[in-house]
Amino acid sequence: MACRIGELVLGCHDPEVLARFWCDVLDFVVLDREGNEYFEIGARDGFGGSQPTIILSRRDEPEPGKSRLHIDLNATDRDQDAELERLLKLGARPADIGQTGEEQWHVLADPEGNEFCLLKARIRPL
């Protein structure tokens, strides 16, 4: 195994309302939050545990041509650079969504153009 889904990221109008909803549905807890703009929810064993976490991030308006959901991947058995190389060989390609170049993640697109991120932190395989 080389990657695991670490997070699902959902842009939404009211992160607090969706955090309560999904916590009740999935028996998750709030793991982190920044005011009412950002909530990270997940299983009680937290990020990198038994299930991916869900990031709920305030977006007042949907971004044209962009899905409100994207996947964040974490390498499990190699560092970020080696995993980036592997993903590019498999057909992923870099995607520009306005990043500054200072981010600790890479924004990529799958062969159909769906964006996803490769994060720096490694998590254990299941």
Side-chain angles (χ1 to χ4, degrees):
M1 179 191 297
C3 265
R4 232 180 97 191
I5 295 173
E7 303 166 339
L8 300 172
V9 182
L10 179 61
C12 56
H13 290 288
D14 194 337
E16 187 169 11
V17 167
L18 283 186
R20 277 195 310 266
F21 172 79
W22 285 110
C23 280
D24 288 344
V25 168
L26 301 169
D27 192 29
F28 276 12
V29 296
V30 174
L31 300 169
D32 191 17
R33 73 180 284 180
E34 291 179 15
N36 292 323
E37 300 297 310
Y38 162 97
F39 284 76
E40 180 175 15
I41 64 172
R44 295 176 198 293
D45 56 358
F47 175 78
S50 60
Q51 298 185 58
T53 61
I54 299 173
I55 303 292
L56 301 158
S57 178
R58 181 177 304 281
R59 297 286 181 265
D60 292 326
E61 296 296 325
E63 298 172 47
K66 183 169 171 72
S67 172
R68 291 178 69 179
L69 176 70
H70 76 264
I71 296 172
D72 285 347
L73 299 178
N74 297 82
T76 60
D77 62 354
R78 61 196 77 191
D79 68 21
Q80 184 188 41
D81 290 337
E83 185 60 11
L84 175 62
E85 183 178 328
R86 187 182 82 86
L87 294 173
L88 292 171
K89 285 180 182 174
L90 290 173
R93 61 186 187 283
D96 183 0
I97 60 167
Q99 33 310 21
T100 65
E102 299 298 316
E103 296 81 6
Q104 292 194 16
W105 60 85
H106 296 280
V107 181
L108 303 167
D110 70 15
E112 291 193 5
N114 300 300
E115 294 165 359
F116 65 96
C117 295
L118 174 62
L119 304 182
K120 187 169 185 75
R122 261 199 286 185
I123 55 178
R124 64 179 170 77
L126 288 176

